Amino acid sequence: MKRIIKIFRILFILFSVIFLIAYFSLINAWKYDFTENELQTYFSEIKKSENLPDLFYKYYDLDNDNSLETKTGEYLFKSIFASETSRRPLSFWLARQMYIPKMKNRTFINRIRIELSLAMKIEKETSQKEQFNYTLSTVDFVNNQIGVKNASKFYFGKEIAELNENEIASLIIMIRNPALYNPKRRPEKLKAEVEKLLKK
């Protein structure tokens, strides 16, 4: 019995050491392709983005399985060990956008490692709301409308602060696929999805 306990202790220590090595390797993988200064410049841009009305956060969360509350570690755990699936956190999208120009020089496995590492670094340095604000300032809403401010003026003739619930929900739905839910071309399709979102 003592021998079995001893073996389990050794295995536990080995597993812990391997896990720690793998974890620290992952969180520092971004260093292969980026410098700290490069990332800090990017984080500054994210933090400078203006806050949006609270309803934007509410309806985005409703439409995306509370992804503003989900971080990379939780997402990975649910994806691997839980039966439920959740939307990727915004940090994944931001990491991908930042890494696209450099990823061609890496193998698929290394690309995944570095993207995960970047996502974790983004979450460490910026809040979920800051990530959301920045994302919406860069989304292409088609018709040459980059960012939610321009989209608000173009599609509704209003400033962001003047939008009503229906209009905010419309812009949130458009994030899914701006061409498919374009209010100028497919107003009925957009309206149907907005109604579903407002009922949640």
Side-chain angles (χ1 to χ4, degrees):
M1 188 67 180
K2 288 182 179 180
R3 188 177 178 184
I4 293 173
I5 293 172
K6 187 176 182 181
I7 290 171
F8 272 109
R9 282 178 179 169
I10 292 170
L11 288 173
F12 176 76
I13 292 169
L14 282 173
F15 177 79
S16 299
V17 170
I18 291 169
F19 175 80
L20 287 172
I21 291 171
Y23 176 74
F24 284 108
S25 173
L26 175 62
I27 64 173
N28 290 303
W30 59 266
K31 293 179 180 178
Y32 285 106
D33 285 322
F34 296 93
T35 65
E36 183 70 34
N37 285 339
E38 281 180 290
L39 293 191
Q40 289 305 323
T41 299
Y42 187 50
F43 299 150
S44 294
E45 288 298 313
I46 293 174
K47 291 176 180 178
K48 281 193 300 186
S49 299
E50 291 182 32
N51 286 327
L52 296 165
D54 287 341
L55 285 176
F56 273 94
Y57 309 115
K58 173 186 173 180
Y59 285 121
Y60 180 82
D61 245 4
L62 285 172
D63 196 45
N64 290 274
D65 303 323
N66 295 316
S67 66
L68 284 181
E69 309 301 323
T70 304
K71 293 197 173 184
T72 300
E74 183 183 348
Y75 168 77
L76 290 175
F77 180 85
K78 285 181 178 179
S79 300
I80 297 169
F81 299 108
S83 56
E84 61 180 295
T85 56
S86 59
R87 298 287 179 94
R88 286 185 174 189
L90 281 172
S91 56
F92 271 72
W93 186 85
L94 294 173
R96 170 63 61 89
Q97 297 306 306
M98 187 180 188
Y99 193 43
I100 282 175
K102 299 188 179 189
M103 63 169 53
K104 63 182 179 181
N105 300 320
R106 294 290 176 190
T107 63
F108 176 76
I109 296 298
N110 277 331
R111 287 205 302 266
I112 296 298
R113 283 178 62 241
I114 293 169
E115 280 185 45
L116 281 172
S117 180
L118 276 173
M120 294 168 81
K121 180 74 170 171
I122 288 168
E123 288 173 356
K124 183 180 177 182
E125 300 284 343
T126 64
S127 70
Q128 304 280 64
K129 281 192 175 183
E130 287 171 338
Q131 295 164 33
F132 181 72
N133 296 336
Y134 179 77
T135 299
L136 259 68
S137 73
T138 61
V139 168
D140 185 347
F141 285 91
V142 301
N143 292 308
N144 297 314
Q145 303 305 311
I146 305 297
V148 70
K149 279 189 172 183
N150 291 326
S152 174
K153 291 176 185 175
F154 181 80
Y155 292 112
F156 305 112
K158 296 180 179 181
E159 298 292 335
I160 286 283
E162 299 170 338
L163 294 173
N164 60 37
E165 274 193 84
N166 194 290
E167 292 160 344
I168 289 173
S170 296
L171 290 169
I172 293 299
I173 295 296
M174 286 184 73
I175 296 170
R176 296 184 197 167
N177 187 327
L180 181 63
Y181 297 110
N182 185 338
K184 300 282 188 183
R185 289 184 146 191
R186 299 183 177 88
E188 293 307 314
K189 195 171 189 68
L190 175 62
K191 183 181 177 183
E193 293 301 310
V194 167
E195 287 176 354
K196 288 178 190 176
L197 179 56
L198 292 175
K199 289 176 182 177
K200 286 187 176 181

